[in-house]
Amino acid sequence: MTESGRHLLRRGPVVASLAMVALVSIGCQSGYRSDARMLTNHWDRGDYSAAAAAGSMAARANEHDDIDRVVYNLEAGRTTQAAGDVRSSVVFFDLAYSDVRPYLDTEAEDTVSEAVVTTAVNQTMATYRGTPNERILMSTMQAVNFMVMGDMESARIELNRALDWQQDAERRYAKEIEREQAATERAAEEEEVETETDARSGLPESVAPHYAYLQDLRGYGAYRNPFPSHLRGVFLLARAVDVGDLANARTDLNQVAGMSPDAMPMLEADLALADRAPTAGMPPVTWIYFLPGRAPHKDELRLDIPIPVGNVNYVSAAFPRLVHNRNHHVGLEVHGPEVETVTSLQIADNDRIVASEFNERLPTIVTQEIISSAAKATATWALKESAGEYGELAGILYQAASTAADTRSWRTMPAVIEVARVPTPADGAIELVADGRGLGRVEVTPNECNIIIVTLPSVDAAEASIMNIQLTGERIPWTDPEQDDESDPSPAA
């Protein structure tokens, strides 16, 4: 540290505290961004083992970080799953669930103390709790893990949890956003921060043009994602034990039809099977889920915004922006010696869902950042008035270090989910092709219902990650290909 830096810290505990908090904040955010970059580089190339190693290492390094560990565990859960280490994936998703479970029906999402520190520093100081869609998909992908392991009772529990997350979001998430926005607007009035808003977006006019590209992206309503509804419908359809299971399967599949009407040609056959008697038996069907690309992720947008404080008319502010990842295949062809060629149909668009959730919170995020920038500008002006050039320098350093947007998000979430449906071939052979590119041959169990999960993060991915699930019938007990029976399943081992 330079002599002037030491002199600055001797100026007073308030300046020192602000500077230290800001420096810690920017250090943590820099670490997260570096980790996210490394992980997605491996992921986009289809190097699932390297992505899993990076995700696991980062999750373990942040296991005591109450603020960031949920997003790290989500990434570790997804990357280890795609790499075939299902047992570790179960552990990571369970850790994420343990952290967010208190917010299902019970704890408030935000606290007064957190609001204070995020205004004083930035939004990266808020505890990451996952978005409604991330929570829904967390339980859905955990259900996939248990299906792979043959633990169908646990899979049923996770599918029901995904439904619980959807219903919880419907009941209270929008209300919480309204309360948060109202509190933010009151704070803006108290701080005398003027934010003339754009009528269409609800954003301040100085910021709105930078988010115009998001205005036409809308989700499916009521925080729903058709993917878990379809997976739960298929699961209950194939494994129905009574008329209640079939009725719930019909409800789930009808919800998918309402949200994704273009998939109706594929859904009709399953809806017809939902009307059968449970004793009638289930014909052997194989469903292939195609998970291409990556959902939109957050990046940082820095703008000079008008805030007249003292002799300063503009200050720099940092806002999150959504970046779409378009580098992925669309459409999966399924064929084989005994399979009539079919092409997958889209049932869920995470681009739309993520953008819709982002748009809903964006006015609050932007207003909070403007309030924070105004408060920092005021503090800098006050420091200059009371401590001269050293005070001004401290304020400038504080503003520079603490101006950062919250870019945390689940980056290995697929961009879309597509589904194909075929009668299970007698020889069990299924070939997969995406945009003319062969992804491999999959052997499913003949005369049974099966699920195949195909992950292909980008057109540059070297290969697809393929998970094979036998949904009905007697099966060979599952063994983890990554670990022997004597090993410790903990990812920290």
Side-chain angles (χ1 to χ4, degrees):
M1 181 183 289
T2 64
E3 184 58 30
S4 61
R6 295 190 187 94
H7 184 68
L8 173 61
L9 291 179
R10 287 197 294 268
R11 277 290 179 177
V14 173
V15 174
S17 297
L18 290 175
M20 289 303 295
V21 170
L23 289 171
V24 168
S25 166
I26 199 66
C28 291
Q29 186 66 188
S30 175
Y32 165 74
R33 294 179 185 184
S34 175
D35 292 337
R37 247 187 333 267
M38 179 185 298
L39 183 144
T40 54
N41 283 341
H42 294 311
W43 184 255
D44 287 346
R45 292 198 302 269
D47 191 344
Y48 306 107
S49 295
S56 300
M57 184 180 301
R60 289 195 294 268
N62 289 274
E63 63 182 338
H64 301 300
D65 183 350
D66 295 344
I67 292 177
D68 292 333
R69 69 183 174 207
V70 165
V71 73
Y72 278 107
N73 283 325
L74 290 174
E75 302 290 16
R78 180 69 179 113
T79 52
T80 51
Q81 180 186 65
D85 186 2
V86 176
R87 184 151 37 171
S88 289
S89 180
V90 167
V91 174
F92 284 123
F93 279 138
D94 190 54
L95 288 170
Y97 177 79
S98 296
D99 276 336
V100 300
R101 175 61 183 85
Y103 305 108
L104 182 63
D105 296 323
T106 53
E107 289 190 12
E109 296 278 344
D110 300 299
T111 64
V112 174
S113 59
E114 188 172 88
V116 170
V117 73
T118 54
T119 299
V121 185
N122 56 53
Q123 296 296 313
T124 68
M125 300 301 290
T127 300
Y128 194 82
R129 302 174 176 90
T131 66
N133 189 48
E134 289 175 350
R135 296 173 184 179
I136 291 164
L137 288 180
M138 168 191 69
S139 292
T140 306
M141 299 313 291
Q142 187 73 298
V144 169
N145 282 334
F146 286 123
M147 288 185 208
V148 170
M149 298 169 70
D151 185 350
M152 298 303 174
E153 288 307 309
S154 293
R156 183 184 288 254
I157 290 170
E158 292 298 332
L159 290 169
N160 290 336
R161 283 177 175 174
L163 179 63
D164 289 342
W165 285 120
Q166 289 193 146
Q167 293 174 341
D168 179 67
E170 289 175 36
R171 283 193 300 267
R172 66 192 189 100
Y173 191 72
K175 294 178 181 177
E176 289 194 1
I177 290 175
E178 290 174 4
R179 285 196 295 269
E180 186 181 17
Q181 178 63 14
T184 301
E185 290 172 355
R186 288 195 299 271
E189 292 176 2
E190 292 170 2
E191 298 294 331
E192 299 181 348
V193 174
E194 296 184 8
T195 54
E196 293 293 329
T197 59
D198 172 71
R200 186 180 181 199
S201 66
L203 298 173
E205 291 180 347
S206 58
V207 177
H210 298 276
Y211 293 95
Y213 68 101
L214 294 174
Q215 291 306 309
D216 295 326
L217 290 171
R218 293 289 181 269
Y220 295 95
Y223 307 99
R224 288 196 170 274
N225 185 319
F227 173 39
S229 296
H230 188 272
L231 184 62
R232 183 172 180 265
V234 163
F235 179 90
L236 294 175
L237 188 68
R239 299 187 59 82
V241 296
D242 54 33
V243 292
D245 278 349
L246 289 174
N248 286 331
R250 186 185 308 108
T251 298
D252 288 334
L253 294 171
N254 274 323
Q255 287 177 346
V256 177
M259 292 182 279
S260 304
D262 290 345
M264 196 61 198
M266 177 193 62
L267 295 170
E268 285 175 341
D270 288 334
L271 284 167
L273 287 172
D275 291 329
R276 77 185 197 277
T279 55
M282 175 73 186
V285 178
T286 295
W287 294 269
I288 303 93
Y289 289 90
F290 185 38
L291 281 58
R294 286 195 291 117
H297 67 274
K298 295 175 187 174
D299 200 353
E300 183 172 277
L301 172 67
R302 289 210 175 206
L303 295 174
D304 287 336
I305 55 175
I307 299 180
V309 177
N311 61 352
V312 178
N313 292 321
Y314 288 86
V315 297
S316 180
F319 306 98
R321 65 174 179 176
L322 214 56
V323 178
H324 291 267
N325 304 293
R326 308 292 192 189
N327 184 32
H328 61 81
H329 293 292
V330 176
L332 181 73
E333 285 189 359
V334 179
H335 60 89
E338 299 186 14
V339 176
E340 183 178 345
T341 300
V342 298
T343 301
S344 60
L345 297 175
Q346 180 177 295
I347 60 166
D349 186 343
N350 274 324
D351 280 3
R352 288 172 53 192
I353 297 170
V354 171
S356 181
E357 290 183 346
F358 180 77
N359 265 334
E360 192 163 16
R361 288 208 68 240
L362 190 58
T364 300
I365 293 170
V366 168
T367 305
Q368 287 174 341
E369 175 62 17
I370 291 174
I371 293 171
S372 178
S373 296
K376 294 170 190 175
T378 301
T380 300
W381 177 78
L383 283 168
K384 179 182 179 181
E385 292 295 302
S386 62
E389 63 183 48
Y390 290 112
E392 182 180 29
L393 177 60
I396 291 171
L397 290 173
Y398 167 55
Q399 287 189 65
S402 62
T403 301
D406 184 359
T407 61
R408 293 170 294 180
S409 60
W410 187 358
R411 299 188 179 215
T412 52
M413 182 192 301
V416 298
I417 295 95
E418 301 176 0
V419 183
R421 176 192 190 279
V422 298
T424 301
D427 66 352
I430 291 178
E431 298 282 348
L432 305 172
V433 178
D435 288 341
R437 173 186 173 188
L439 301 183
R441 177 188 178 106
V442 184
E443 299 290 338
V444 298
T445 305
N447 302 315
E448 299 294 347
C449 290
N450 302 275
I451 289 175
I452 301 171
I453 308 287
V454 183
T455 296
L456 193 63
S458 77
V459 297
D460 302 317
E463 60 183 2
S465 164
I466 300 176
M467 306 175 75
N468 195 344
I469 298 166
Q470 181 184 328
L471 199 55
T472 60
E474 293 295 324
R475 52 178 286 160
I476 299 173
W478 179 81
T479 56
D480 190 337
E482 295 291 319
Q483 304 177 44
D484 60 39
D485 292 338
E486 302 300 320
S487 63
D488 184 352
S490 169

